[in-house]
Amino acid sequence: IAQFELRAHAGARTVRHVRLKHEVTAPGWLSADLHVHTAHSDDAVRGGVSALDLQAEGVELAVATDHNRIGDLGDSVGALAGAEITTWQPEIGHFNAFPLRRLPAWRGTSPQALFAELSRDPHVFVQINHPRLDAHIAYFELGRFDGERFHRPNYHLDVHGLEVWNGYDIARPERVLSLLEEWRGWLGRGHRLTATGGSDSHGGHRPGYPRTYVRASGRDDLAPALKAGRAFVTNGPLLRFAVEGAGPGDRLEVAPGSELSVEVGIAAA
């Protein structure tokens, strides 16, 4: 990162300023953490995540997703007000929604009623969080989802996004790969769910790992870009991928039997 010679003398104070720079740039893409908790979450550790924590990790867009409370990270990062809808009596799962102006009913509700209430605001992006993380908070486990359909009533996939990588699975790639296989299967059956990743940091582990890169102009464009699928999830590697010049979220009209040009490049290993 930096290398210089430093001469130390007894009783003297020597200062060297080091300017950090990005090793890899991603033109047109903004790095986002869509799932962080501040001190307003009752299970936050060491004061939760702050805007300074996000800046230090190079996160450009962030959503404050405190439990059943509309969060705020201030103006020092491109932050959106959101919440993690943490259901209770009964537990049906956890769901992020942003930008959020009012909280929906989170107690004594059903997935169908909750999603219907959130969808009244057409600007809100809704995602299912950690769908298989722990049985009592995992939407797929609670709804008895077998990979093709739910075996409990009122459970469905009529939302915008799915958190395929949660920070608590950062060192469990087998769980991430399994969920990615399911997600790809739903795409093949016509479910257009944007894959997202978020640290779910409560202050106990670093924010921004994993993170979602979004092709957006700024925070006001974050939710529309995610709805359109202009995003990818990573824990470090940055790949360039295009089909006939089109990237994530773009639409292609393809004639049956036609050949496609695919371009793959590695920006960072």
Side-chain angles (χ1 to χ4, degrees), residues 135-202:
H136 73 102
I137 60 172
Y139 184 67
F140 289 171
E141 303 294 337
L142 293 165
R144 297 202 293 273
F145 188 63
D146 63 8
E148 294 187 11
R149 66 186 184 91
F150 291 96
H151 291 270
R152 290 188 62 186
N154 295 320
Y155 282 75
H156 55 74
L157 291 173
D158 295 335
V159 294
H160 305 118
L162 182 78
E163 189 179 62
V164 297
W165 201 345
N166 179 278
Y168 285 96
D169 277 340
I170 202 75
R172 294 182 285 195
E174 68 284 352
R175 294 176 58 149
V176 180
L177 291 173
S178 176
L179 190 54
L180 278 172
E181 286 294 326
E182 287 190 273
W183 173 74
R184 283 159 53 180
W186 310 322
L187 289 182
R189 289 190 289 273
H191 293 291
R192 189 180 171 90
L193 284 168
T194 299
T196 69
S199 68
D200 196 6
S201 178
H202 291 66

Side-chain angles (χ1 to χ4, degrees), residues 90-167:
E91 288 184 292
I92 58 174
H94 293 185
F95 314 91
N96 277 355
F98 55 88
L100 205 57
R101 296 173 178 83
R102 59 180 296 274
L103 279 174
W106 50 271
R107 189 190 296 269
T109 188
S110 68
Q112 190 169 9
L114 176 63
F115 298 155
E117 186 173 355
L118 287 169
S119 66
R120 291 173 190 165
D121 187 339
H123 302 290
V124 171
F125 177 83
V126 182
Q127 74 173 33
I128 299 169
N129 288 347
H130 42 63
R132 292 201 184 276
L133 186 62
D134 291 317
H136 73 102
I137 60 172
Y139 184 67
F140 289 171
E141 303 294 337
L142 293 165
R144 297 202 293 273
F145 188 63
D146 63 8
E148 294 187 11
R149 66 186 184 91
F150 291 96
H151 291 270
R152 290 188 62 186
N154 295 320
Y155 282 75
H156 55 74
L157 291 173
D158 295 335
V159 294
H160 305 118
L162 182 78
E163 189 179 62
V164 297
W165 201 345
N166 179 278

Side-chain angles (χ1 to χ4, degrees), residues 35-39 41 43-44 47-49 65-67 84 200-203:
H35 194 169
V36 298
H37 293 265
T38 75
S41 285
D43 54 355
V49 175
T65 52
D66 290 313
H67 298 290
E84 183 171 26
D200 196 6
S201 178
H202 291 66

Side-chain angles (χ1 to χ4, degrees), residues 192 215 228-230 245-252:
R192 189 180 171 90
R215 187 148 49 91
R230 301 197 302 267
D250 294 334
R251 288 183 176 271
L252 279 176

